[in-house]
Amino acid sequence: MAVTQQLARVPAEYLAACRRSAEESPDGDHRWDPPAEDCLDLDWAPLMLERACELTRLDAGLLDALKRATDGDDDIDLRFLNTGLHAIAFFGNSEPTALGPDAVARVSALLGEIDMRAILRSVVDSGAGSELGQGFIGDPTEYLLHHFDALLEFYEGAARRGLLVVLWWD
């Protein structure tokens, strides 16, 4: 089973209810189960997107926004989501992270400024596609554009609704 980047957009109240459930449950069951339409599987794309942006020397502020969109922040304690039988990040992966609604709005706006199509065209045209990693064979443009567009749409929806984004690798 491959390890892939997972995201969920949730209201602060939902996260608080999960925390209470974990505290009150004898086995730490947090009852984490966000709706499917508020979840996103980015597969292995995050590291490849980041590398493409580094190769084309994307503006540091925009690159930081992309990294935050896929790394989250450590400001919100989510250890309760990754303990015992009910862990959401299996196989000893790093702890889940999150972005609060204000950070989600900032990241969403900055992601919208990234011209990923031009970045990927530059990487492919320069012959640097093999430097993206993950053993990708062929032109990665369609794969990466699909995942970047999904990430952008996901964050725009979260920002519009004032939601948090929780991230983990599973």
Side-chain angles (χ1 to χ4, degrees), residues 22 30 38 43 101 117 123 152 154:
H30 42 68
D38 284 320
D43 201 29
R117 186 170 303 281
V123 169
L152 176 59
F154 188 83

Side-chain angles (χ1 to χ4, degrees), residues 51-58 115-129 131-132 139-141:
R51 183 68 181 136
C53 292
E54 290 170 348
L55 288 169
T56 57
R57 296 189 174 102
L58 180 68
D115 185 350
M116 190 56 69
R117 186 170 303 281
I119 289 168
L120 294 173
R121 186 172 34 254
S122 175
V123 169
V124 170
D125 289 351
S126 72
E131 294 184 42
L132 295 178
D139 185 344
T141 302

Side-chain angles (χ1 to χ4, degrees), residues 9-67:
R9 50 189 179 200
V10 298
E13 299 80 16
Y14 178 79
L15 196 59
C18 289
R19 184 183 310 276
R20 275 192 309 280
S21 180
E23 291 168 355
E24 295 169 0
S25 171
D27 65 353
D29 187 355
H30 42 68
R31 302 200 185 283
W32 174 259
D33 190 22
E37 62 271 12
D38 284 320
C39 294
L40 177 64
D41 182 341
L42 281 181
D43 201 29
W44 304 295
L47 299 175
M48 295 172 70
L49 288 167
E50 182 180 321
R51 183 68 181 136
C53 292
E54 290 170 348
L55 288 169
T56 57
R57 296 189 174 102
L58 180 68
D59 171 80
L62 296 178
L63 179 58
D64 182 59
L66 177 63
K67 288 179 180 180

